[in-house]
Amino acid sequence: MRIIKSSEVGREEVEKILRKKSFDEIELPQKIRESNKKIFGEDLTASELVRKIVGDVRKFGDAAVIDYTKKFDGAEISAENFQVTEEEFSAAEKVSDKKIVESLKRAAENIFSYHREQLPKSWITYRGENSILGQSIIPLERVGVYVPGGTAAYPSSVLMNVIPAKVAGVSEIIMSVPAKVGKINPYVLIAAKIAGADKIFKIGGAQAIAAMAFGTETIPQVNKITGPGNIFVTLAKKEVFGHCDIDMLAGPSEILIVADEKANPNYAAADMLSQAEHDPLACSIVITTSENLAEKISREVEKQLEKLPRKEIASASIENNGLIIVAENISEAIDFANISAPEHMELLIESPFNLLPKIKNAGAIFLGEFSPEPLGDYFAGPNHVLPTGGTAKFYSVLNVETFLKRTSLISYAQKDLSNASEDIIRLARAEGLDAHANAIEIRN
């Protein structure tokens, strides 16, 4: 893991390092490239690979989904058993730890409660002589939720995607999750039951995104796809956007920690690794004003790495994407943090709320040493599906409004239209649109 000082390399160089590459530019690990080459007979980029998968699923439907699921997940599956059955739900409940189930239920209560606060309201206002203007809030009819499951199981992601959709009033929630050797983690199924998913399909990767976007003989077409995933899932969402909506391009996980000289290095190291264990492409950054703290954090990361069951993944992430930046002062540290626009930003500083107004770009902000990132991942209530790759500059956290549409309402009384006619006709003709003008004139 690198430690760099802004005073030595220069501010411009630090900013260059922090600016994220586009998803198309992310280089795949050699192991994944070799595996894909065996499957396809050529060394395809991630974008080329995803484009091929999406095109095949759109053209061949279930057959392509079956083929790619076998190639990538090693699962023999048929269209008849794509969908999770009631027997599978029952089996999951039998093998589950009741204490874990109770924790999932408590987390779900917090998430339901938080997201109910986000519900917007339809409204109507009156103008002139009984004219009406307003806005109608309408839930989407059918959405697709993607839940990652390649290297780990994520029941928390089930709750975070499905619950806001339920609160929004979505009519049907379709869920797709990779199944290792044809089976889904029991807690993922239990979480889906708690949250209220309507149908669950045992498919993952780019083929799942394409199936939900275009529909197949078995899998319904959805209006919107939400949920995080690996680089292939993200690029697939990018590929299908326009055929359906998506929440965001959520790629590899990120954390950026702003720490002053009083921060606990053990906490900072643990929080860096909490993201590093997700994926070799995950990114963990600390920006601190203390060179001494930087050295302590670096040593502590190496020490804690040795104890992790997912050491191989976390080590690759730290080696390739771990970084500690020593800034000249806290103001520069915040500037660097805003340039990075991270998914998760922690403020491990003495008075975090004093700096909160200066934070402009972050998916979620964790204030103080007792608000670590996993608190948001699992339990507090705010959503953990967050913008990554610098997209926090323009994307928002997944929320209830992700699953809602706004429709404008306009009802003018005759007298009010007459009063506005001259302005409308003048503007329409200024744009060369005489038929627009005529639609007003004919009513006078």
Side-chain angles (χ1 to χ4, degrees):
M1 180 169 60
R2 291 180 298 165
I3 298 177
I4 63 173
K5 302 177 188 176
S6 67
S7 59
E8 292 181 359
V9 302
R11 185 182 176 105
E12 288 185 5
E13 183 61 25
V14 174
E15 291 181 4
K16 183 179 177 182
I17 292 169
L18 288 171
R19 293 187 194 280
K20 308 295 194 305
K21 292 181 178 180
S22 73
F23 293 105
D24 306 75
E25 297 172 313
I26 294 175
E27 189 173 338
L28 294 175
Q30 186 64 29
K31 187 176 180 180
I32 294 176
R33 289 179 60 191
E34 289 173 358
S35 173
N36 291 338
K37 191 173 181 179
K38 285 182 181 178
I39 293 172
F40 294 98
E42 54 183 325
D43 190 6
L44 299 173
T45 66
S47 293
E48 290 169 339
L49 177 64
V50 165
R51 202 167 293 120
K52 176 172 174 53
I53 294 169
V54 170
D56 285 348
V57 172
R58 186 177 187 184
K59 186 175 181 181
F60 300 111
D62 284 346
V65 173
I66 292 166
D67 183 45
Y68 283 118
T69 299
K70 182 178 179 180
K71 285 175 177 174
F72 294 127
D73 298 336
E76 294 284 352
I77 195 166
S78 66
E80 290 72 29
N81 62 12
F82 275 173
Q83 190 173 339
V84 172
T85 63
E86 285 300 322
E87 288 76 18
E88 288 172 290
F89 279 115
S90 298
E93 290 172 356
K94 288 177 182 177
V95 300
S96 64
D97 182 325
K98 302 309 176 189
K99 289 184 178 179
I100 295 176
V101 173
E102 287 305 312
S103 293
L104 281 171
K105 288 179 179 178
R106 284 192 288 271
E109 288 172 7
N110 291 343
I111 298 164
F112 267 113
S113 177
Y114 182 88
H115 286 80
R116 287 190 188 106
E117 297 288 341
Q118 297 177 338
L119 272 170
K121 295 180 180 178
S122 299
W123 55 268
I124 285 178
T125 188
Y126 294 91
R127 299 280 177 86
E129 299 285 333
N130 259 354
S131 293
I132 295 171
L133 295 176
Q135 177 177 266
S136 181
I137 305 295
I138 304 171
L140 299 180
E141 292 180 39
R142 182 190 287 141
V143 300
V145 166
Y146 185 84
V147 178
T151 60
Y154 296 102
S156 59
S157 283
V158 177
L159 301 180
M160 294 292 184
N161 279 273
V162 176
I163 288 174
K166 291 297 288 188
V167 172
V170 172
S171 301
E172 187 176 21
I173 302 169
I174 306 300
M175 192 175 112
S176 183
V177 58
K180 286 188 175 180
V181 200
K183 293 186 178 181
I184 295 176
N185 177 278
Y187 299 110
V188 167
L189 294 181
I190 290 168
K193 198 78 143 180
I194 292 169
D198 295 296
K199 293 178 182 176
I200 304 172
F201 293 96
K202 295 176 281 189
I203 57 171
Q207 64 269 28
I209 300 301
M212 291 190 288
F214 299 110
T216 70
E217 301 92 325
T218 305
I219 300 164
Q221 185 178 24
V222 302
N223 305 123
K224 187 166 192 169
I225 298 172
T226 72
N230 62 18
I231 185 63
F232 301 108
V233 169
T234 299
L235 288 172
K237 287 168 73 176
K238 184 178 180 182
E239 188 73 16
V240 304
F241 176 65
H243 299 282
C244 68
D245 194 14
I246 62 171
D247 52 349
M248 64 185 80
L249 296 174
S253 197
E254 307 163 350
I255 189 168
L256 186 147
I257 301 166
V258 178
D260 60 18
E261 65 280 357
K262 295 184 179 180
N264 187 319
N266 297 347
Y267 294 170
D271 295 351
M272 290 182 80
L273 292 172
S274 72
Q275 295 309 291
E277 71 173 349
H278 272 297
D279 189 312
L281 296 174
C283 180
S284 301
I285 297 174
V286 169
I287 304 176
T288 180
T289 52
S290 168
E291 186 176 347
N292 181 47
L293 180 68
E295 296 290 349
K296 288 180 179 179
I297 293 172
S298 181
R299 289 194 295 270
E300 186 61 28
V301 165
E302 295 302 319
K303 181 180 175 182
Q304 292 186 26
L305 258 175
E306 295 302 314
K307 302 175 184 177
L308 293 179
R310 292 167 66 85
K311 177 185 173 182
E312 184 179 351
I313 292 171
S315 294
S317 170
I318 290 296
E319 182 179 347
N320 297 321
N321 304 302
L323 178 65
I324 301 177
I325 298 168
V326 181
E328 294 198 57
N329 51 57
I330 199 67
S331 180
E332 184 179 69
I334 294 299
D335 287 345
F336 288 155
N338 280 322
I339 288 167
S340 179
E343 178 187 17
H344 309 97
M345 185 186 296
E346 288 188 2
L347 299 182
L348 293 185
I349 55 179
E350 192 170 15
S351 302
F353 279 91
N354 291 344
L355 287 182
L356 183 57
K358 296 182 179 180
I359 305 299
K360 306 300 180 186
N361 303 317
I365 305 169
F366 300 79
L367 298 104
E369 64 179 4
F370 298 110
S371 303
E373 184 277 334
L375 173 65
D377 261 1
Y378 293 108
F379 200 75
N383 212 283
H384 78 197
V385 181
L386 303 162
T388 65
T391 60
K393 292 173 183 173
F394 48 84
Y395 275 138
S396 300
V397 56
L398 187 142
N399 59 80
V400 167
E401 294 193 42
T402 303
F403 301 98
L404 298 170
K405 300 180 295 181
R406 285 175 163 77
T407 298
S408 300
L409 306 176
I410 302 166
S411 177
Y412 256 49
Q414 184 178 15
K415 184 176 181 180
D416 290 327
L417 178 62
S418 180
N419 290 339
S421 292
E422 189 174 329
D423 288 325
I424 300 168
I425 292 166
R426 187 180 296 121
L427 292 170
R429 287 191 170 139
E431 293 186 351
L433 299 175
D434 287 339
H436 280 63
N438 184 60
I440 301 298
E441 284 182 324
I442 204 169
R443 286 169 167 78
N444 284 333

